[in-house]
CSV table of all heavy atoms in Angstrom, one decimal:
chain,number,residue,atom,x,y,z
A,815,ASN,N,118.6,110.2,129.5
A,815,ASN,CA,118.1,108.8,129.2
A,815,ASN,C,116.8,108.8,128.5
A,815,ASN,O,115.9,109.6,128.8
A,815,ASN,CB,118.1,108.0,130.5
A,815,ASN,CG,117.8,106.5,130.2
A,815,ASN,OD1,118.5,105.9,129.3
A,815,ASN,ND2,116.9,105.9,130.9
A,816,GLU,N,116.6,107.9,127.6
A,816,GLU,CA,115.4,107.8,126.8
A,816,GLU,C,114.9,109.0,126.1
A,816,GLU,O,113.8,109.3,125.9
A,816,GLU,CB,114.2,107.2,127.7
A,816,GLU,CG,114.6,105.8,128.3
A,816,GLU,CD,113.3,105.1,128.8
A,816,GLU,OE1,112.2,105.5,128.5
A,816,GLU,OE2,113.5,104.1,129.5
A,817,ALA,N,115.9,109.8,125.6
A,817,ALA,CA,115.6,111.0,124.8
A,817,ALA,C,115.2,110.5,123.4
A,817,ALA,O,115.7,109.5,122.9
A,817,ALA,CB,116.9,111.9,124.7
A,818,THR,N,114.4,111.3,122.8
A,818,THR,CA,114.1,111.1,121.4
A,818,THR,C,114.8,112.2,120.6
A,818,THR,O,114.5,113.4,120.8
A,818,THR,CB,112.6,111.1,121.1
A,818,THR,OG1,112.0,110.1,121.8
A,818,THR,CG2,112.2,111.0,119.6
A,819,VAL,N,115.6,111.8,119.6
A,819,VAL,CA,116.4,112.8,118.9
A,819,VAL,C,115.9,112.9,117.5
A,819,VAL,O,115.8,111.8,116.8
A,819,VAL,CB,117.9,112.4,118.9
A,819,VAL,CG1,118.7,113.3,118.0
A,819,VAL,CG2,118.5,112.3,120.3
A,820,ALA,N,115.6,114.1,117.0
A,820,ALA,CA,115.2,114.3,115.6
A,820,ALA,C,116.4,114.3,114.7
A,820,ALA,O,117.3,115.1,114.9
A,820,ALA,CB,114.4,115.6,115.5
A,821,LEU,N,116.4,113.4,113.7
A,821,LEU,CA,117.5,113.3,112.8
A,821,LEU,C,117.5,114.5,111.8
A,821,LEU,O,116.6,114.6,111.1
A,821,LEU,CB,117.5,112.0,112.1
A,821,LEU,CG,117.7,110.7,112.9
A,821,LEU,CD1,117.3,109.5,112.1
A,821,LEU,CD2,119.1,110.6,113.5
A,822,PRO,N,118.6,115.2,111.8
A,822,PRO,CA,118.7,116.3,110.8
A,822,PRO,C,119.1,115.7,109.4
A,822,PRO,O,119.4,114.5,109.3
A,822,PRO,CB,119.9,117.2,111.3
A,822,PRO,CG,120.8,116.2,112.0
A,822,PRO,CD,119.8,115.1,112.6
A,823,PRO,N,119.0,116.5,108.4
A,823,PRO,CA,119.4,116.0,107.0
A,823,PRO,C,120.9,115.6,107.1
A,823,PRO,O,121.7,116.1,107.8
A,823,PRO,CB,119.2,117.2,106.1
A,823,PRO,CG,118.2,118.1,106.8
A,823,PRO,CD,118.4,117.9,108.3
A,824,GLY,N,121.2,114.5,106.3
A,824,GLY,CA,122.6,114.0,106.3
A,824,GLY,C,122.7,112.6,106.8
A,824,GLY,O,121.7,111.9,106.8
A,825,ASN,N,123.9,112.2,107.3
A,825,ASN,CA,124.1,110.9,107.8
A,825,ASN,C,124.6,110.9,109.3
A,825,ASN,O,125.6,111.4,109.6
A,825,ASN,CB,125.2,110.2,107.0
A,825,ASN,CG,124.8,110.1,105.5
A,825,ASN,OD1,123.7,109.8,105.2
A,825,ASN,ND2,125.8,110.2,104.6
A,826,VAL,N,123.7,110.5,110.1
A,826,VAL,CA,124.0,110.5,111.6
A,826,VAL,C,124.6,109.2,112.1
A,826,VAL,O,124.0,108.1,111.9
A,826,VAL,CB,122.7,110.9,112.4
A,826,VAL,CG1,123.0,110.9,113.9
A,826,VAL,CG2,122.2,112.2,111.9
A,827,ASP,N,125.7,109.3,112.7
A,827,ASP,CA,126.5,108.2,113.1
A,827,ASP,C,126.5,108.1,114.7
A,827,ASP,O,126.2,109.1,115.4
A,827,ASP,CB,128.0,108.4,112.7
A,827,ASP,CG,128.7,107.1,112.4
A,827,ASP,OD1,128.3,106.0,113.0
A,827,ASP,OD2,129.7,107.1,111.8
A,828,TRP,N,126.8,106.9,115.2
A,828,TRP,CA,126.9,106.7,116.6
A,828,TRP,C,128.3,106.6,117.1
A,828,TRP,O,129.2,106.2,116.3
A,828,TRP,CB,126.2,105.4,116.9
A,828,TRP,CG,126.7,104.2,116.2
A,828,TRP,CD1,127.8,103.4,116.6
A,828,TRP,CD2,126.3,103.7,114.9
A,828,TRP,NE1,128.0,102.4,115.7
A,828,TRP,CE2,127.2,102.6,114.7
A,828,TRP,CE3,125.4,104.1,114.0
A,828,TRP,CZ2,127.1,101.9,113.5
A,828,TRP,CZ3,125.3,103.3,112.9
A,828,TRP,CH2,126.1,102.3,112.6
A,829,GLU,N,128.6,107.0,118.3
A,829,GLU,CA,130.0,106.8,118.9
A,829,GLU,C,129.8,106.7,120.5
A,829,GLU,O,129.7,107.7,121.2
A,829,GLU,CB,130.9,108.0,118.6
A,829,GLU,CG,131.2,108.2,117.2
A,829,GLU,CD,132.2,109.3,117.0
A,829,GLU,OE1,133.0,109.6,117.9
A,829,GLU,OE2,132.3,109.8,115.8
A,830,VAL,N,129.7,105.4,121.0
A,830,VAL,CA,129.6,105.2,122.4
A,830,VAL,C,130.9,105.7,123.1
A,830,VAL,O,132.0,105.4,122.6
A,830,VAL,CB,129.3,103.8,122.7
A,830,VAL,CG1,130.4,102.8,122.4
A,830,VAL,CG2,128.9,103.6,124.2
A,831,GLU,N,130.8,106.3,124.2
A,831,GLU,CA,131.9,106.9,124.9
A,831,GLU,C,131.7,106.8,126.4
A,831,GLU,O,130.6,106.9,126.9
A,831,GLU,CB,132.2,108.3,124.5
A,831,GLU,CG,132.3,108.5,123.0
A,831,GLU,CD,133.1,109.7,122.6
A,831,GLU,OE1,133.8,110.3,123.4
A,831,GLU,OE2,133.2,109.9,121.3
A,832,LEU,N,132.8,106.6,127.2
A,832,LEU,CA,132.8,106.9,128.6
A,832,LEU,C,133.0,108.4,128.8
A,832,LEU,O,133.9,109.0,128.2
A,832,LEU,CB,134.0,106.2,129.3
A,832,LEU,CG,134.1,106.4,130.8
A,832,LEU,CD1,133.0,105.6,131.5
A,832,LEU,CD2,135.5,105.9,131.3
A,833,VAL,N,132.1,109.0,129.6
A,833,VAL,CA,132.2,110.5,129.8
A,833,VAL,C,132.6,110.8,131.2
A,833,VAL,O,132.0,110.2,132.1
A,833,VAL,CB,130.8,111.1,129.5
A,833,VAL,CG1,130.8,112.6,129.7
A,833,VAL,CG2,130.4,110.9,128.0
A,834,VAL,N,133.5,111.6,131.4
A,834,VAL,CA,134.1,112.0,132.7
A,834,VAL,C,133.6,113.3,133.1
A,834,VAL,O,133.5,114.3,132.3
A,834,VAL,CB,135.6,112.0,132.6
A,834,VAL,CG1,136.2,112.6,133.9
A,834,VAL,CG2,136.2,110.6,132.4
A,835,ALA,N,133.1,113.4,134.4
A,835,ALA,CA,132.7,114.7,135.0
A,835,ALA,C,133.8,115.2,136.0
A,835,ALA,O,134.2,114.4,136.8
A,835,ALA,CB,131.4,114.6,135.6
A,836,ILE,N,134.2,116.4,135.9
A,836,ILE,CA,135.2,117.0,136.8
A,836,ILE,C,134.5,117.4,138.1
A,836,ILE,O,133.5,118.1,138.0
A,836,ILE,CB,135.9,118.1,136.1
A,836,ILE,CG1,136.7,117.7,134.9
A,836,ILE,CG2,136.9,118.8,137.1
A,836,ILE,CD1,137.8,116.7,135.2
A,837,GLY,N,135.1,117.0,139.2
A,837,GLY,CA,134.5,117.4,140.5
A,837,GLY,C,135.3,118.6,141.1
A,837,GLY,O,134.7,119.5,141.7
A,838,VAL,N,136.6,118.5,141.0
A,838,VAL,CA,137.5,119.5,141.5
A,838,VAL,C,138.3,120.1,140.4
A,838,VAL,O,139.1,119.3,139.7
A,838,VAL,CB,138.4,119.0,142.6
A,838,VAL,CG1,139.4,120.1,143.2
A,838,VAL,CG2,137.6,118.4,143.8
A,839,GLY,N,138.2,121.3,140.1
A,839,GLY,CA,138.9,121.9,138.9
A,839,GLY,C,140.3,122.2,139.2
A,839,GLY,O,140.8,121.9,140.3
A,840,GLY,N,141.0,122.7,138.2
A,840,GLY,CA,142.4,123.0,138.3
A,840,GLY,C,143.1,123.2,137.0
A,840,GLY,O,142.6,122.9,136.0
A,841,HIS,N,144.3,123.8,137.1
A,841,HIS,CA,145.2,124.0,136.0
A,841,HIS,C,146.5,123.3,136.3
A,841,HIS,O,147.0,123.3,137.4
A,841,HIS,CB,145.4,125.5,135.7
A,841,HIS,CG,146.2,125.8,134.5
A,841,HIS,ND1,147.6,126.0,134.6
A,841,HIS,CD2,145.9,125.9,133.2
A,841,HIS,CE1,148.0,126.2,133.3
A,841,HIS,NE2,147.0,126.2,132.5
A,842,GLY,N,147.0,122.6,135.2
A,842,GLY,CA,148.3,121.9,135.4
A,842,GLY,C,148.2,120.7,136.4
A,842,GLY,O,149.1,120.5,137.2
A,843,ILE,N,147.1,120.0,136.3
A,843,ILE,CA,146.9,118.8,137.2
A,843,ILE,C,147.9,117.7,136.8
A,843,ILE,O,148.0,117.3,135.6
A,843,ILE,CB,145.4,118.3,137.1
A,843,ILE,CG1,144.5,119.4,137.5
A,843,ILE,CG2,145.2,117.1,137.9
A,843,ILE,CD1,143.0,119.1,137.2
A,844,ALA,N,148.6,117.1,137.7
A,844,ALA,CA,149.5,116.1,137.5
A,844,ALA,C,148.7,114.8,137.2
A,844,ALA,O,147.7,114.5,137.8
A,844,ALA,CB,150.4,115.9,138.7
A,845,ARG,N,149.3,113.9,136.4
A,845,ARG,CA,148.7,112.7,136.0
A,845,ARG,C,148.3,111.9,137.3
A,845,ARG,O,147.2,111.3,137.4
A,845,ARG,CB,149.6,111.9,135.1
A,845,ARG,CG,149.1,110.5,134.8
A,845,ARG,CD,150.1,109.7,134.0
A,845,ARG,NE,149.7,108.3,134.0
A,845,ARG,CZ,148.8,107.7,133.2
A,845,ARG,NH1,148.2,108.5,132.3
A,845,ARG,NH2,148.4,106.5,133.3
A,846,GLU,N,149.3,111.8,138.2
A,846,GLU,CA,149.0,111.0,139.4
A,846,GLU,C,147.9,111.5,140.3
A,846,GLU,O,147.4,110.8,141.2
A,846,GLU,CB,150.3,110.8,140.2
A,846,GLU,CG,151.0,112.1,140.6
A,846,GLU,CD,152.0,112.6,139.6
A,846,GLU,OE1,151.9,112.3,138.4
A,846,GLU,OE2,152.9,113.4,140.1
A,847,ASP,N,147.5,112.8,140.1
A,847,ASP,CA,146.5,113.4,140.9
A,847,ASP,C,145.1,113.4,140.2
A,847,ASP,O,144.1,113.9,140.7
A,847,ASP,CB,146.9,114.8,141.3
A,847,ASP,CG,148.1,114.9,142.2
A,847,ASP,OD1,148.3,113.9,142.9
A,847,ASP,OD2,148.9,115.9,142.1
A,848,ALA,N,145.1,113.0,138.9
A,848,ALA,CA,144.0,113.2,138.1
A,848,ALA,C,142.7,112.6,138.6
A,848,ALA,O,141.6,113.3,138.6
A,848,ALA,CB,144.2,112.7,136.7
A,849,TRP,N,142.7,111.4,139.1
A,849,TRP,CA,141.5,110.8,139.5
A,849,TRP,C,140.9,111.5,140.7
A,849,TRP,O,139.6,111.5,140.9
A,849,TRP,CB,141.7,109.3,139.9
A,849,TRP,CG,141.6,108.4,138.7
A,849,TRP,CD1,142.5,107.7,138.1
A,849,TRP,CD2,140.3,108.1,138.0
A,849,TRP,NE1,142.0,106.9,137.0
A,849,TRP,CE2,140.7,107.2,137.0
A,849,TRP,CE3,139.0,108.5,138.1
A,849,TRP,CZ2,139.7,106.6,136.1
A,849,TRP,CZ3,138.1,107.9,137.3
A,849,TRP,CH2,138.4,107.1,136.3
A,850,SER,N,141.7,112.2,141.5
A,850,SER,CA,141.1,112.9,142.7
A,850,SER,C,140.4,114.2,142.2
A,850,SER,O,139.6,114.8,143.0
A,850,SER,CB,142.3,113.3,143.6
A,850,SER,OG,143.1,114.3,143.0
A,851,HIS,N,140.5,114.6,141.0
A,851,HIS,CA,139.7,115.7,140.4
A,851,HIS,C,138.5,115.3,139.7
A,851,HIS,O,137.7,116.1,139.2
A,851,HIS,CB,140.6,116.5,139.5
A,851,HIS,CG,141.7,117.3,140.1
A,851,HIS,ND1,141.6,118.6,140.4
A,851,HIS,CD2,142.9,116.9,140.7
A,851,HIS,CE1,142.7,119.0,141.0
A,851,HIS,NE2,143.5,118.0,141.2
A,852,VAL,N,138.3,114.0,139.6
A,852,VAL,CA,137.1,113.4,138.8
A,852,VAL,C,136.0,113.2,139.8
A,852,VAL,O,136.1,112.5,140.8
A,852,VAL,CB,137.5,112.1,138.1
A,852,VAL,CG1,136.3,111.4,137.5
A,852,VAL,CG2,138.5,112.4,137.0
A,853,ALA,N,134.8,113.7,139.5
A,853,ALA,CA,133.6,113.4,140.3
A,853,ALA,C,133.1,112.1,140.0
A,853,ALA,O,132.7,111.3,140.9
A,853,ALA,CB,132.5,114.5,140.0
A,854,GLY,N,133.0,111.7,138.7
A,854,GLY,CA,132.5,110.4,138.4
A,854,GLY,C,132.4,110.2,136.9
A,854,GLY,O,132.9,111.1,136.1
A,855,VAL,N,131.9,109.1,136.4
A,855,VAL,CA,131.7,108.9,135.0
A,855,VAL,C,130.3,108.5,134.7
A,855,VAL,O,129.5,108.1,135.5
A,855,VAL,CB,132.7,107.7,134.6
A,855,VAL,CG1,134.1,108.1,134.9
A,855,VAL,CG2,132.3,106.4,135.2
A,856,THR,N,130.0,108.6,133.4
A,856,THR,CA,128.6,108.2,132.9
A,856,THR,C,128.8,107.7,131.5
A,856,THR,O,129.9,107.7,130.9
A,856,THR,CB,127.7,109.4,133.0
A,856,THR,OG1,126.3,109.0,132.7
A,856,THR,CG2,128.0,110.5,132.0
A,857,VAL,N,127.7,107.2,131.0
A,857,VAL,CA,127.6,106.7,129.6
A,857,VAL,C,127.3,107.9,128.7
A,857,VAL,O,126.5,108.7,129.0
A,857,VAL,CB,126.6,105.6,129.4
A,857,VAL,CG1,126.6,105.0,128.0
A,857,VAL,CG2,126.7,104.6,130.5
Side-chain angles (χ1 to χ4, degrees):
N815 188 49
E816 297 198 15
T818 297
V819 177
L821 293 170
N825 298 325
V826 179
D827 209 342
W828 59 86
E829 296 188 19
V830 66
E831 308 204 7
L832 181 72
V833 178
V834 172
I836 297 298
V838 179
H841 183 263
I843 298 169
R845 174 184 167 84
E846 57 269 24
D847 298 329
W849 273 112
S850 67
H851 288 259
V852 172
V855 301
T856 190
V857 187

